[in-house]
Each structure stands twice: as structure tokens, then as C-alpha cells.
Amino acid sequence: MYSTSSWDRGLVLKGHSKWVNSIAYSPQGDRIVSSGFDGTAKLWDVETGACIHNLTGHSKGVNCVAFSPRGDTVASVGDDSTVRIWDARTGECRGGVKGQSAICSVMYSPKGNQIVFGGVDYTVRLWDIETGICTRTMIGHSNTVLGVSYSPQGDRVVSGSSDETVRIWDIETGDCCHVLTGHHWTVYTVAYSLQGDIIASAGFDQTVRIWDAETGTCRQVFRGQSQTSRCVVFSPRGDQIACASDDSTVRFWDVGSEVTRPFATRRDLNGAHGTIAYSPRGDLIASGVEKGGVGVYCSRDRTVKLWDMGDGACRHTLHGHTDSVNVVAFSPRGDQIASGDDSGTLKLWDTATGACKHTFTGHTGQVERIVYSPTGSQIASISRDMTVRVWNTESGVCIHTLSGHTSFVSSIAYSPCGGLLASASTDRTMRLWDMETGECRPISIGHTASIWVVAYSPQGSQVATGSADQSLRIWDVGTSECLHTLTGHTNAVACVLYSSQGRQIVSKSEDKTIRLWDATSGQCHAVIESINSIVVNIAWSTTSDVDRFVAGHRDGNVCMWQVVEDGDTCHVRLRWRTVNGELTLTDTLIQDVHGLSRLNKQLLKQRGAKGEPLDRLRETSKKAMQMASVLSTLKRPSTKVVLDSSPDDFVADLPEQPGYPEASMQLEQPV
């Protein structure tokens, strides 16, 4: 905690074991409640710094906490999809409600009889504390709702979302009064002023915006933070705002002033500030950071660790970074590792010895991604400073600084030959850069929202992009013109990949679906729906004649899909899947499966398979089969079980699954 007059540090409240992501003062100013990813909320005494109560009950991380207007109860929400109400005096849980998905934000109404919360189901909900009934569900956002706030009058609610918008809702009708656009990325936090006439919002685009609460127009835009703005709050008088950022600062601005520079900046050591709160009198500021407690600034350990995948031992711990390391990449041959940190520094390491070969400096913002060229002679890096830098891995020299994007660069990809580099940005453009000269080819314009991902075709003649406008676009590398616009996703497209032959494109979206597209015609071949969990990532696994891709889900499960081409048609087949981290064959029929050993059959049945598989003779040759006769078979029946381990013979049928174009499963090899 800090004094807002002298900026002297006061108490440091330690107790959380993971990131502190939300704090709030009681109305009386004598207590603080905090929450963290360790699954707990804690009540603290402001005077002594002692932990009064440890509020345990959530089974996963707690995302947000709030005091009631009278200060007698505390509300908490978390990744376990629950809202819990706690007695602030005794620390006991008074009750709660179970939702369908993770809940990210919560706030009491001014009267204290309702709470509003938002989460990953894209909705804003009102819950009556007395009756325990959800009284209103407000639908309109197209992505996770990360921030909510009540107006002081209690007649409106404002929400911020990953769909890059802020929405103002009428409590009585549930209607959306205004959609506030201007942010170019996720909106993490929103807040009403105490007078209710203005709204503040902040997010991933590193800006704080002040909006007119009545008209929805943007009054001011504050810039200055170099990384994600996590939390914004108004001072009790409403004349100032404070914003906490991942760049280890809390910045303060005068609201209404023509000067948009911060009048004060508080920076302490290295550590991301997850949340801040003013005391009721405005004389103290409390901030929560990445590890360990409230008001203590702790960084990640600034190291890179190299692990042996055979025995799990740590082979090397690479020291040298002076700030949190957030991205690493292996060279194509695996003999080098490149790493980047929050200060904008990159380092090149030898994987055999752990020695640092080069240190690259030049970026003025956090390094977001590193990509090796196909030959490994270059690495390209993108940073929050809106530039792309290309480095020579042998000499350690910066070859090119590629400037031109007017907003955050979100993705880069080398062409297969390494002669071109594609970059995509939240400024809604895709650019192709010549690696020989560093010059930019004609800019590709067409997306109507931020572009999140870019990918080259294996032949290098096409580039595909995925955007927050819910579409994919295929571009001609030679002309920079759009060949196809692929529509069908109902939310932002976050991943795009070409198959090894370049005939298909697979995409995944925040709408919980994966789509398979024809790269030539732009036709959608298949839609795979993930009912219970968002797809986190996808990757192609390719053999000489079969294309397969793997999908990883947020709930920890994995599915492998095979692309089946039959003439002019194409569809996907589920090869295998896991449930709770284990391969599952629940209700799978194996009576027609051939070539199973007794052990194979036992293992399959342990995983839920049903039926008795048939034994068959090994087909050693056509001649041997011709010599065998029905009579000899009847006289000398074979009792020997012969294993034929050909993967193509090992086929099992799955029960139909919703959203699966073809519900059959073929395992890669006998279990």
C-alpha cells in the first residue's frame, strides 16, 4: 500500500502463493479483500496488515472480489464457474450460485441487493442475492466479458470484453444502450465515476479511454503504458484515474484535463501489476502484483530452463535476462534457442552447453514472438513497440527494422524459402517484407477488425490470415490481392494452418469450432464443434499419404482428426481423443476389429470398449491362402491367436458425437 501524498510504501501484505488479480477496499476503509490464482480470497486489516480471514472454497483460481455497499459481505467469482458470498465478519460462506463456465468479474449493485457478473459465456448476468435467482441475462458481446461495473444510480451496467468493445446496458430492460468502439484489442477493465457521468476503460492496446456515459462518445484517450493495462479505477472525488499495467507501473491522469500525459507514475522493481484500488478517502493506493501478495512486486525468475524429455531432468538453467522471459523458440536443427523478455531483449543460447551466444537489443517494448527462418540463419521478432526486427544468428547483428504497422504486430511467418516475411497487425493489415532489402510490398487491406494470425502455404504462393472480424482471407503473394474470404466462424479466428500439401486450411475460433477449408476454392469441408471447451491450439501431424491434425482444448483434452479425401469430397474422421488426460474408448464396439492380441483386447476393454473381437489367420501370402481349403480348416481348427499389427486393420466405430462429420475412429497403432 502507498500514500497518495508522499508515495511512501506502507504495509506489504503477504500470503497469496500465486498472482493477485483483484483487490477492493471496504466502504469504511479499514479492510482490504484480495483474490488470487491460488484459489483463495483473503481479508486484511489495513492498520496492522494482518490477514483476518482466509476465504477458501473455490476449487480453481479466484478472478475477482468485491465488497457490498455496507461492507458486511464479500462476493467472489472464479474459474470454477461459481459466485460465492462471504460474511466479512466471520469469514463464513453464506451461499452462492453455480454457473456454466468460468466467471471473470463481479460487482455489487449500489443497494447491495444484486450482483452483476460476466464471464467466458459472453454474457452479463444479474443475480438477486435474496432469492438466488438470475433476474437478467444480457447478450451482445461476442467474446469473454472481463470487466463489469454498476453506475452509481444503479440503473445501468457497463461491461468490457475480449471482442474489443465496451457496452452500456439498461438494467430495467436488459437492452444495450451503447456499443463503445475504439479499443484495438481485449478490454480488461471498466469503471464508472462516482458521479456516473463518465466511464473509463483499459486493455491490451495499452490505452485508457474516457467515455461519456450518456452519449457513448469518447472524450479522452490516455497513452503511456508500454504493456497491457490491467485495471483502472477512479479516485473517490472522480477527478483522477489510476491504471495498473504489466509494464510494472501505476500511472495517474487528471480527468478532463487537456493534458493526456500522466501527472504521476509509480514504478517499483519488475513485476506485473494485476489490480489496484483507492481507499475510500483517497489517501492510500493498494496494488496487487504477479506473485505472493498485495503491494509486493515480484517478477518471474528471468531464466530459461531446458529439460530432457527422456528422464525429465533439467539439463540447463539459462541465466542472463534482466526481466521476465515470455517467449522462446528452437532453431530448425535444435542446436539453438532464442528467448525474449519484457524489456525488449533477446538472447541466443547453445542447447548443448547452455552458453549465451548473442544478446540482441533494440526493441523498446516487450518481445511477443520469435520465429526462425527455414535455414536458421535469421530470427524475426515482434514487440509491443509495433516493429518487426530481423537478426542474423551468426553475427548477432540486426539486419532489418521493419516499421510501418500503426498498431500492435500480432503474428509473423517466414515464407518456405525464407525470402519473404509476412506480418499481421491489429491495425487490420497484412504486410509482406523482402528479406533481402527490408522493403514492404503492397499492403494487403480487407479485414474489418484486428488480424490475429498469419500463415504461409507450403508452396509459398499464398498467405492466409485470421481476424477478429470472424473471417479468414487467402492472399496472393505475388499481387497482395485477396483471393478468397472464408466466412462461417461466429467469433474471432485465432489460429490458421495449411496442411503439408497446401490443399487444406484448418482454422480454430473463439466460437469453440474448428473448420476445414479447401485452400483452392475456399469451400468449407467440415465443422467440428467443441461443446464443452474452447480449442486452445491446433497442429498438423502429417505422414506421406495421410493428413491429420491435433486439437488441444482448454479443459486439457486432446483430439486427433484425419482428413479423408474421396474424389471431389473431403471430410474429417476422429482418430482418437482423451478424456481427463487419458485415451477413452467408452462404448466403442470392437467385435469387428482384427489382429488384436490378448493384451490389446484387455487394454481396450479397460478403456471402455465393448464386444469380443474375432481372431484371424495371418495372411502370409496369396499362395498360402489358395492352398487352404474349407475342409482342412474344419479338421484342424486354429486355436492360435496371430497378431497382425497393421494400423490400417485396426478400426473401431464410435457412437455418434454432436458436431462430428463422421463418427468413426481409427487408432494409429495397437494400444
Side-chain angles (χ1 to χ4, degrees):
M1 292 183 293
Y2 293 93
S3 165
T4 56
S5 58
S6 64
W7 296 114
D8 292 334
R9 179 186 289 191
L11 295 173
V12 177
L13 314 181
K14 296 183 179 181
H16 286 287
S17 60
K18 292 185 179 180
W19 193 327
V20 179
N21 51 26
S22 179
I23 52 178
Y25 269 96
S26 66
Q28 297 79 18
D30 57 341
R31 286 173 296 172
I32 288 176
V33 63
S34 62
S35 67
F37 287 156
D38 58 5
T40 69
K42 295 178 183 291
L43 278 169
W44 310 85
D45 185 283
V46 171
E47 188 68 27
T48 65
C51 180
I52 305 171
H53 296 296
N54 191 32
L55 312 180
T56 59
H58 286 283
S59 59
K60 295 182 179 179
V62 184
N63 292 322
C64 189
V65 285
F67 265 104
S68 65
R70 293 190 301 175
D72 57 338
T73 61
V74 169
S76 63
V77 297
D79 285 338
D80 60 359
S81 310
T82 64
V83 182
R84 292 177 180 267
I85 305 297
W86 309 86
D87 189 299
R89 183 178 58 84
T90 65
E92 296 179 354
C93 183
R94 289 188 178 182
V97 62
K98 174 74 173 177
Q100 298 297 317
S101 54
I103 303 171
C104 302
S105 52
V106 66
M107 187 176 183
Y108 277 90
S109 65
K111 294 182 179 179
N113 61 329
Q114 289 185 333
I115 60 172
V116 60
F117 57 89
V120 300
D121 63 355
Y122 310 166
T123 65
V124 179
R125 298 175 185 267
L126 298 181
W127 183 47
D128 188 287
I129 297 176
E130 187 68 28
T131 64
I133 297 174
C134 179
T135 59
R136 184 80 64 191
T137 300
M138 291 166 278
I139 300 174
H141 282 295
S142 59
N143 211 325
T144 301
V145 178
L146 294 169
V148 292
S149 180
Y150 259 104
S151 67
Q153 297 77 21
D155 58 342
R156 290 189 175 185
V157 163
V158 64
S159 58
S161 167
S162 294
D163 65 8
E164 306 178 8
T165 68
V166 177
R167 289 177 178 258
I168 303 175
W169 308 88
D170 186 285
I171 295 299
E172 187 66 30
T173 64
D175 295 335
C176 180
C177 305
H178 298 290
V179 179
L180 315 182
T181 59
H183 284 287
H184 299 302
W185 212 344
T186 296
V187 180
Y188 273 107
T189 176
V190 290
Y192 264 101
S193 65
L194 293 188
Q195 295 73 29
D197 57 335
I198 55 176
I199 294 168
S201 62
F204 218 151
D205 62 1
Q206 307 162 24
T207 67
V208 179
R209 293 176 179 265
I210 305 298
W211 312 85
D212 188 293
E214 189 61 36
T215 65
T217 57
C218 184
R219 290 186 179 182
Q220 287 177 287
V221 180
F222 298 132
R223 293 180 173 88
Q225 287 166 326
S226 60
Q227 295 180 33
T228 302
S229 302
R230 293 282 180 181
C231 183
V232 63
V233 292
F234 280 93
S235 65
R237 293 186 299 175
D239 58 341
Q240 299 171 2
I241 57 169
C243 184
S245 167
D246 283 355
D247 66 2
S248 309
T249 68
V250 178
R251 284 179 165 83
F252 301 83
W253 285 273
D254 280 320
V255 177
S257 169
E258 295 182 358
V259 179
T260 58
R261 295 190 302 272
F263 68 84
T265 301
R266 185 64 190 171
R267 178 185 294 271
D268 284 82
L269 304 179
N270 295 310
H273 295 256
T275 179
I276 52 175
Y278 271 99
S279 66
R281 292 186 300 174
D283 57 339
L284 294 174
I285 280 275
S287 65
V289 297
E290 187 170 352
K291 268 188 181 179
V294 178
V296 57
Y297 305 104
C298 299
S299 162
R300 283 167 283 186
D301 65 6
R302 308 171 188 175
T303 65
V304 178
K305 292 181 182 292
L306 189 62
W307 303 87
D308 189 302
M309 295 304 293
D311 56 16
C314 181
R315 188 188 301 171
H316 297 295
T317 299
L318 313 180
H319 297 275
H321 282 286
T322 59
D323 211 332
S324 300
V325 181
N326 52 55
V327 60
V328 294
F330 270 97
S331 64
R333 293 186 299 174
D335 59 336
Q336 295 177 353
I337 293 175
S339 57
D341 65 27
D342 285 354
S343 71
T345 301
L346 291 85
K347 287 183 176 289
L348 200 64
W349 312 86
D350 186 291
T351 57
T353 65
C356 180
K357 300 180 66 176
H358 296 295
T359 298
F360 306 127
T361 59
H363 281 301
T364 58
Q366 174 181 322
V367 180
E368 288 292 326
R369 192 175 183 189
I370 300 171
V371 176
Y372 268 91
S373 66
T375 62
S377 61
Q378 297 177 358
I379 57 172
S381 58
I382 57 178
S383 165
R384 292 288 178 85
D385 60 11
M386 298 186 293
T387 67
V388 181
R389 287 180 178 260
V390 182
W391 316 83
N392 185 294
T393 57
E394 188 63 32
S395 65
V397 175
C398 180
I399 305 170
H400 303 297
T401 300
L402 311 178
S403 302
H405 285 294
T406 59
S407 187
F408 176 73
V409 182
S410 53
S411 180
I412 50 175
Y414 271 99
S415 63
C417 65
L420 293 173
L421 183 74
S423 62
S425 169
T426 56
D427 65 7
R428 308 176 185 182
T429 68
M430 189 274 293
R431 295 171 182 252
L432 295 176
W433 308 87
D434 189 302
M435 289 294 92
E436 186 68 29
T437 64
E439 294 179 355
C440 180
R441 291 190 175 187
I443 302 172
S444 300
I445 300 174
H447 282 293
T448 59
S450 299
I451 304 176
W452 293 126
V453 63
V454 61
Y456 258 100
S457 66
Q459 297 78 15
S461 59
Q462 294 180 354
V463 168
T465 53
S467 168
D469 65 8
Q470 306 174 11
S471 74
L472 291 80
R473 287 179 180 257
I474 301 175
W475 309 86
D476 184 277
V477 171
T479 63
S480 298
E481 294 181 354
C482 181
L483 301 176
H484 299 289
T485 300
L486 315 182
T487 59
H489 283 297
T490 59
N491 208 324
V493 180
C495 186
V496 175
L497 290 174
Y498 276 90
S499 63
S500 63
Q501 303 301 318
R503 294 191 297 267
Q504 293 93 27
I505 296 173
V506 65
S507 63
K508 72 100 173 176
S509 167
E510 297 297 323
D511 63 7
K512 299 184 181 181
T513 69
I514 299 172
R515 288 178 178 259
L516 184 70
W517 312 84
D518 187 289
T520 303
S521 65
Q523 177 186 355
C524 183
H525 287 313
V527 180
I528 303 169
E529 296 182 359
S530 176
I531 304 300
N532 298 320
S533 179
I534 292 176
V535 179
V536 177
N537 213 341
I538 50 179
W540 284 95
S541 173
T542 307
T543 60
S544 58
D545 57 348
V546 180
D547 282 332
R548 306 179 182 92
F549 60 87
V550 178
H553 296 253
R554 185 166 290 171
D555 60 8
N557 292 314
V558 179
C559 295
M560 175 174 275
W561 300 87
Q562 177 183 334
V563 179
V564 181
E565 296 184 76
D566 185 9
D568 295 333
T569 63
C570 183
H571 59 275
V572 294
R573 171 185 295 174
L574 179 64
R575 296 296 299 271
W576 53 258
R577 59 176 176 165
T578 65
V579 174
N580 297 326
E582 296 184 357
L583 183 69
T584 179
L585 299 170
T586 304
D587 295 330
T588 301
L589 302 178
I590 60 172
Q591 66 263 26
D592 294 328
V593 177
H594 303 291
L596 290 179
S597 68
R598 185 176 301 172
L599 177 59
N600 291 152
K601 182 176 72 173
Q602 182 180 354
L603 290 174
L604 289 173
K605 288 198 158 252
Q606 286 177 355
R607 286 166 169 79
K610 295 182 178 180
E612 290 296 325
L614 299 175
D615 299 333
R616 72 171 185 174
L617 293 173
R618 182 186 299 273
E619 299 177 7
T620 56
S621 67
K622 291 184 178 180
K623 184 176 180 180
M625 290 300 296
Q626 290 170 355
M627 292 175 63
S629 66
V630 176
L631 182 59
S632 62
T633 303
L634 292 174
K635 285 182 179 180
R636 293 177 295 171
S638 173
T639 59
K640 182 180 179 182
V641 178
V642 182
L643 173 63
D644 184 346
S645 61
S646 170
D648 293 333
D649 292 330
F650 192 13
V651 181
D653 292 328
L654 280 176
E656 282 198 29
Q657 300 289 333
Y660 297 161
E662 182 177 329
S664 63
M665 180 174 112
Q666 183 170 353
L667 295 178
E668 293 290 335
Q669 57 187 10
V671 178

